[in-house]
Amino acid sequence: AAGYGAGSSPILIMGGGYDTCEDSDPHTCTSSSKGNNVYVLDANTGSVLRAFDTDRPVIADATIVPDSAGLARYAYTADLGGNVYRVTFDSGAPADWSITKIASLGCATNASCPTNRKFMFAPDVLANNGEYIVLLGSGDREKPLLYYAAAASVPNYFFMLRDRPSDSTWLAAESTTCGSAVLCLDSLLAITTSANPTPTALAAKKGWYLGLRSTEQVVTSAITIFGTVTFSTHTPDVPQVGVCTSRLGKARVYNISYLNAASQNGTPDRSEELPPDTGLPPSPVA
């Protein structure tokens, strides 16, 4: 919740919610699926101030970026199709508010696909030298087992996106690279080894994405404290024939630099394995 203008009511921002089409493996969602919205409500009365359309259902919270007076300036959220959105609160009047899809990261290309990366948690957002750093990881927490073959086949990543709302060319410049004015995988630097990227390589891109282990998925939100981003993942165990007991898989906690994904654990390894059978860990808090 946040205020949106001097003397106005507080507002409540929420996604449209989950659709059971997401339960199928692969999903069966279409353009008529439920939950394909971001709603902005008057928190005092419950009336809908604005309803924005999204490509896929939104179950993630919205992260508010306040202005110097503490009123909502932007809000960032993401959907179950791997898309990231920015809501802009201009001039305090609901009619002037807008939503922009800033990233399409669900598939290897900008085309639709039946098996895609999903965002289930709100991004962490940092103000950094005139731009905003958006941090979030993909994963289908509702399908944590290898039984879900389609979900397990999706290569998941942790993303750092750079957004410049005041620069009209920032997203438009990606039309040639991505096929439309959004950030896509080709807009970002791929980090797939333990080596840290160079400043030159980072400067040539509009963010980065960190490769995870096979079948590993991000299952929590992220939080950044003094430049260190913390989030957790889950990797399911391979079922063993003839074994009646089940294991909960491997849980890992990552502590990395938001600038270049460098390990902040004191070792080259960006993650540390949690005790056996931890299961799906909770989101980090500060």
Side-chain angles (χ1 to χ4, degrees):
Y4 67 89
S8 61
S9 300
I11 58 174
L12 182 66
I13 306 175
M14 65 180 71
Y18 196 77
D19 191 322
T20 54
C21 65
E22 298 288 351
D23 290 338
S24 301
D25 188 56
H27 74 80
T28 57
C29 300
T30 66
S31 58
S32 62
S33 297
K34 295 179 289 185
N36 298 1
N37 296 99
V38 171
Y39 294 104
V40 186
L41 311 181
D42 183 309
N44 286 334
T45 67
S47 62
V48 178
L49 299 174
R50 286 297 302 268
F52 298 108
D53 293 334
T54 57
D55 290 353
R56 288 276 291 280
V58 177
I59 66 171
D61 289 336
T63 300
I64 303 295
V65 177
D67 62 17
S68 58
L71 302 177
R73 184 179 184 187
Y74 304 109
Y76 288 87
T77 190
D79 71 15
L80 294 175
N83 303 298
V84 183
Y85 302 89
R86 180 208 324 126
V87 177
T88 301
F89 299 95
D90 281 335
S91 74
D96 296 328
W97 300 345
S98 62
I99 191 170
T100 302
K101 181 166 69 173
I102 67 167
S104 179
L105 305 167
C107 305
T109 68
N110 213 18
S112 61
C113 58
T115 55
N116 61 269
R117 302 174 194 93
K118 295 183 177 183
F119 294 129
M120 294 190 163
F121 296 91
D124 193 24
V125 182
L126 315 176
N128 185 62
N129 295 325
E131 63 184 20
Y132 294 101
I133 304 296
V134 182
L135 300 151
L136 74 172
S138 66
D140 193 346
R141 190 182 169 105
E142 298 300 300
K143 299 185 180 72
L145 305 177
L146 293 179
Y147 167 81
Y148 301 101
S153 70
V154 176
N156 286 296
Y157 304 113
F158 188 82
F159 296 92
M160 185 274 255
L161 313 174
R162 297 165 55 205
D163 184 37
R164 294 182 182 177
S166 60
D167 185 349
S168 62
T169 67
W170 186 252
L171 297 177
E174 299 306 303
S175 296
T176 301
T177 301
C178 302
S180 60
V182 295
L183 303 179
C184 64
L185 287 182
D186 288 340
S187 307
L188 312 174
L189 179 67
I191 304 175
T192 57
T193 69
S194 60
N196 295 325
T198 66
T200 300
L202 287 168
K205 296 289 186 175
K206 295 181 177 177
W208 49 258
Y209 62 93
L210 176 65
L212 306 177
R213 296 166 178 83
S214 176
T215 72
E216 184 180 13
Q217 55 181 323
V218 179
V219 292
T220 71
S221 59
I223 193 169
T224 308
I225 304 173
F226 294 114
T228 296
V229 186
T230 301
F231 61 92
S232 294
T233 67
H234 174 262
T235 306
D237 276 350
V238 178
Q240 298 182 25
V241 176
V243 176
C244 295
T245 58
S246 62
R247 296 183 59 83
L248 297 181
K250 294 181 176 63
R252 292 181 172 86
V253 59
Y254 282 73
N255 292 287
I256 59 176
S257 166
Y258 80 93
L259 288 172
N260 62 358
S263 172
Q264 302 297 291
N265 293 322
T267 68
D269 197 339
R270 296 182 174 97
S271 67
E272 298 175 88
E273 191 171 327
L274 297 175
D277 288 337
T278 295
L280 299 177
S283 291
V285 296

